[in-house]
Amino acid sequence: MSTKRYDEIVVDLGDRSYPVYVGEELLGDVDSMIPDDVGKVAIVTQRNIGIVPQLTRPLEIFYIGDGEQSKSLGTIGELCSGFAEMGINRKDMILAIGGGIVSDTAGFAAATFHRGLRYGIIATTLLAQVDAAIGGKTAVNIPEGKNLVGAFWQPTFVVCDIATLETLSNRERLCGMGEMAKYAFLGAEGLDQLSLGSQISACVRVKAGFVESDEREGDRRALLNYGHTLGHAIEAVGFEDRAVNLKHGEAVAIGLIFAALLAKRLGRIDASRVDYHLRVVRSYGLPTRLPFDVDPDRLIEAMCKDKKSFGTLTFVLDGGSGVEVVRDVDPTLVREVLLELNNQS
Ligand code: GLY
């Protein structure tokens, strides 16, 4: 690659280790990141993304649709038929260019076509750069649930080019900001004081650490779901009611404040740590309370159904020794904290 104007963060997984490049205008370097023995490249992207790096190898572009409905087994079937027609074999490579929908789908196609091909990711959204593209979780949705069919399949490289974020809408940016704010409580203290590029690098470093210690989410990797138990419930209830078009990052931000209030009620943190949560979340322009009226019992029911909760109220909560999983939290306390969440001054 050319003169250093990027951070290189290695996700250290032994013989499946890979670099994540964070910087500006890195697209011209993508060809040199592709291993020398790769013959052809199948690019998987969406029509509105409009990024195709210059490659010296034969390539074909496969477009998938927008929205979660495109993350389907049907799309995997279409991609694999396309790869077969193109003559992709085990020495070739898939290149995902887009946000989490593209990297999840292309990654799962790469994990399964010819029993596993190499793939690279050019992550073009903030959410993908700080979360979805790092760590090898690939999956598609089925009618019974999101991300229910997938594989752990690590990429060969990930490119986080900050220049690609310039065209994101404000709402899309907020979506990534919620995930970013989360890292401020997972080891990236002082995150909100850094430049955007340094923030992305710091988040990638924290995420890489979690993935290295628990690639298959046996325990520690689940802590990356900080703020997500209530966040997912808000999304589920808001979706059912068609009440509000809340972005994932906004729902996570509200979930972070809720988790801080709950941790305080459980004696795990003090008021100054709750204030730190409020300061960080506000610094990203994210909401700290529910934007619509909802019966707390509906949120509690949705939180019990969270696939990581196993039927009881389980949260990732901050504490003296950092965040940890706390199970069997009393629903009466959760209800009180949900009311407190919306009565903050
Ligand atoms: N998005 C959470 C994880 O990768 O584990």
Side-chain angles (χ1 to χ4, degrees), residues 131 134 137 182 207 217 221 224-225:
D131 186 38
I134 320 295
K137 272 190 182 174
K182 164 188 96 175
K207 177 140 190 194
E217 201 170 314
R221 187 164 175 170
L224 291 169
N225 290 311

